[in-house]
Amino acid sequence: MTEVPKAFHPHPRSVHDLLFAPGSRGVLIATSRDPDAKRTFIVTPPPESYLDGPAGPVAIKIPVTVAAASAISRETRMLMALGEAQLGGLEPTVPRYLETLDSYGLPAVVTTVVKGAPMSVAYHRWLHTSRRQPVAKDFALAGGWLRHFQRATAGDRGRITWAREVADDVRSRWPGHPRLEAAQVRLAAADRQLKSYRTARTMVHGDYWFGNLLVDNGRITGVVDWENGARAGWPLRDLVRFALSYCLYVDRHTRPGHPVRGHRGLRRTGFGAGIRYGLLEEGWLSDLVRLYLRRGLDGLGLPSALWYGAALAGLGEIAATANDDEFAAQHLELLADLPYWPLADDLPRS
């Protein structure tokens, strides 16, 4: 008989038992209106609420929709797996699973709190992304944590089939889309480049963007929101996702059609101008993007010249998996418009 995991105990206590316990104090820190919308509270429960947990605050993530409940269940399983992994010095940066509560028949998860402010807070400060030094520091922080995490969780090596898997997922989600075949051609080119090489599968965060990285005193102190994680996946996923998301929003505070401060030749023109600029154009941001990707590939024992093929596959993955249809379609169209390769002399020699 299969043992029921602690996270899915058939009779968990109610979320109200913790939120409204005598002496409990809390604050709502995040909410959304997405299809998988959730509300996140930081709560200081009564002392000794968790005999094997923290004496201070805990985080409670409560689903608003059935889709959100599914995401919370996925995150719970991932957090339990992370709790069993040997993360070494990274362990304090990952929330620890404590309990699953009942929220009107849906699961709510309770975890420890990791300190720090989201990297997005600094990212959106005036001129932050217009200057090389703070941007270089962001890339260095994200890349450094990720390399340590991938080394700590590396498993069996295998031939890289990521781009082909992404292509299948894109075709399943977007049958009949007018740009589907063009996107498939780019993913086929990425697959031809990547499938010649092998790398270790690792644990994967699945949504490794700057909004999920917490920073304090110049270092990453927390990595949150593991609902898209995998126990054994392609490490290129996290590597590429950070670079693409970082470039996507560099024009966020620029009026449409106007030049983006600090980035010569970049204007806010349609969706993904920052991604195209970071992957294809010349400038200090492009230099940092390519350096970050190449260092990440080198850390995985892969040729640094695979960076562009990996970026194409990463765009395809967002097109296949993003929970917002418009956002996903925009990535599909962006992928379809990109060249197969950035520069002829940047191809790997395999």
Side-chain angles (χ1 to χ4, degrees), residues 134-151:
V135 172
K137 186 174 182 179
D138 288 345
F139 275 103
L141 287 175
W145 188 94
L146 190 58
R147 283 191 294 275
H148 282 91
F149 180 70
Q150 291 171 342
R151 283 198 294 267

Side-chain angles (χ1 to χ4, degrees), residues 174-294:
W174 298 108
H177 192 286
R179 304 311 312 279
L180 173 63
E181 291 310 314
Q184 289 286 309
V185 169
R186 274 72 181 169
L187 292 172
D191 182 52
R192 287 194 298 272
Q193 187 181 20
L194 296 173
K195 70 181 181 181
S196 300
Y197 299 94
R198 302 173 68 88
T199 192
R201 285 181 175 263
T202 69
M203 283 189 165
V204 173
H205 181 276
D207 194 16
Y208 193 72
W209 75 293
F210 56 86
N212 286 334
L213 308 186
L214 308 186
V215 179
D216 184 58
N217 197 28
R219 60 190 181 92
I220 289 183
T221 53
V223 179
V224 298
D225 289 345
W226 290 82
E227 63 197 51
N228 295 307
R231 297 188 184 201
W234 299 116
L236 296 173
R237 293 177 56 197
D238 286 342
L239 178 69
V240 171
R241 181 63 63 92
F242 182 83
L244 294 177
S245 65
Y246 202 97
C247 291
L248 178 61
Y249 299 104
V250 293
D251 61 357
R252 175 57 60 91
H253 303 293
T254 302
R255 287 181 294 171
H258 285 247
V260 180
R261 186 186 295 268
H263 301 285
R264 185 176 181 180
L266 174 60
R267 290 179 174 270
R268 184 174 182 179
T269 52
F271 179 85
I275 291 178
R276 178 182 288 274
Y277 182 86
L279 295 179
L280 300 174
E281 304 299 335
E282 297 300 323
W284 61 261
L285 177 62
S286 305
D287 292 342
L288 291 177
V289 168
R290 296 167 195 174
L291 177 63
Y292 160 83
L293 292 173
R294 285 169 169 151

